[in-house]
């Protein structure tokens, strides 16, 4: 089975000119945690996830490693945290999104076994699907599981 046979065709996405505020509004509105970022030709130029947002607002000044554990030492207060969150809302999405070169994506004719391997090995929740360089769909772990096991249960 190929990606185009079971991908979600109506993809929630953001434009490369959007702000992080618009990203978070879509996250909340649709109950999602990641979005492809596209240009005016619907080409994938990035990917923004809740992890990118956490890395920005969870900024820390120092990290210590002791006995294999990471300890984050936070220097600041609630006011500084809120200021970072407010600043983040105004940023262009491409300031914190994964750039095109790092975006994991699959082609529209990729087979399901390879997609499952990509999602598992890369530890990602979903992957954009493209055809001729243009975003045409998205596939999540849930899509792969449903497609694989629906006739077995």
């Amino acid at each position: 089975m190929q990606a185009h046979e079971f991908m979600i065709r109506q993809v929630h996405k953001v434009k490369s000119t959007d702000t992080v505020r618009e990203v978070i509004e879509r996250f909340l509105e649709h109950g999602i945690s990641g979005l492809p970022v596209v240009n005016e030709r619907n080409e994938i130029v990035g990917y923004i996830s809740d992890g990118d947002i956490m890395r920005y607002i969870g900024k820390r000044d120092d990290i210590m490693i002791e006995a294999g554990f990471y300890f984050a030492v936070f220097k600041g207060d609630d006011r500084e945290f809120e200021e970072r969150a407010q600043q983040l809302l105004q940023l262009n999405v491409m300031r914190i999104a994964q750039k095109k070169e790092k975006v994991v994506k699959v082609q529209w004719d990729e087979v399901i076994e390879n997609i499952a391997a990509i999602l598992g090995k890369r530890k990602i929740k979903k992957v954009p699907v493209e055809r001729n360089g243009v975003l045409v769909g998205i596939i999540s772990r849930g899509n792969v599981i449903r497609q694989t096991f629906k006739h077995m249960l």
Side-chain angles (χ1 to χ4, degrees):
M1 173 160 289
Q2 296 181 332
H4 65 89
E5 297 176 82
F6 69 100
M7 68 185 183
I8 298 168
R9 295 178 187 278
Q10 293 184 348
V11 182
H12 298 291
K13 59 190 174 187
V14 290
K15 296 177 288 196
S16 58
T17 55
D18 287 347
T19 64
V20 175
R21 175 183 298 277
E22 292 161 304
V23 169
I24 293 173
E25 287 170 352
R26 288 203 180 87
F27 281 4
L28 297 174
E29 178 183 348
H30 301 292
I32 55 178
S33 59
L35 291 164
V37 183
V38 298
N39 63 17
E40 64 281 348
R41 293 180 303 280
N42 208 40
E43 298 166 328
I44 301 167
V45 296
Y47 193 89
I48 180 84
S49 72
D50 53 0
D52 299 314
I53 291 167
M54 293 303 107
R55 280 186 287 282
Y56 189 92
I57 63 174
K59 186 178 179 182
R60 48 197 167 274
D61 293 325
D62 194 15
I63 296 179
M64 299 182 306
I65 301 174
E66 184 176 310
F69 294 96
Y70 292 93
F71 297 96
V73 179
F74 295 93
K75 296 180 181 174
D77 56 29
D78 289 342
R79 189 183 39 196
E80 288 177 7
F81 177 79
E82 190 170 320
E83 286 173 11
R84 275 196 311 277
Q86 285 292 333
Q87 291 169 355
L88 175 64
L89 292 175
Q90 307 310 314
L91 290 180
N92 174 274
V93 63
M94 294 306 294
R95 290 278 306 274
I96 65 167
Q98 295 294 316
K99 306 305 183 275
K100 178 180 181 175
E101 307 78 40
K102 292 188 176 186
V103 175
V104 178
K105 55 192 174 220
V106 298
Q107 296 303 309
W108 74 284
D109 58 351
E110 188 65 72
V111 295
I112 193 169
E113 295 92 339
N114 291 344
I115 296 167
I118 290 166
L119 292 168
K121 287 179 185 174
R122 294 298 197 95
K123 298 179 181 177
I124 55 177
K125 299 174 189 174
K126 56 185 118 179
V127 61
V129 180
E130 69 177 4
R131 182 176 187 182
N132 299 323
V134 175
L135 176 67
V136 293
I138 198 154
I139 295 175
S140 71
R141 291 177 176 191
N143 296 125
V144 173
I145 290 171
R146 280 187 292 281
Q147 191 62 46
T148 303
F149 297 105
K150 69 181 179 183
H151 66 283
M152 295 180 193
L153 301 176

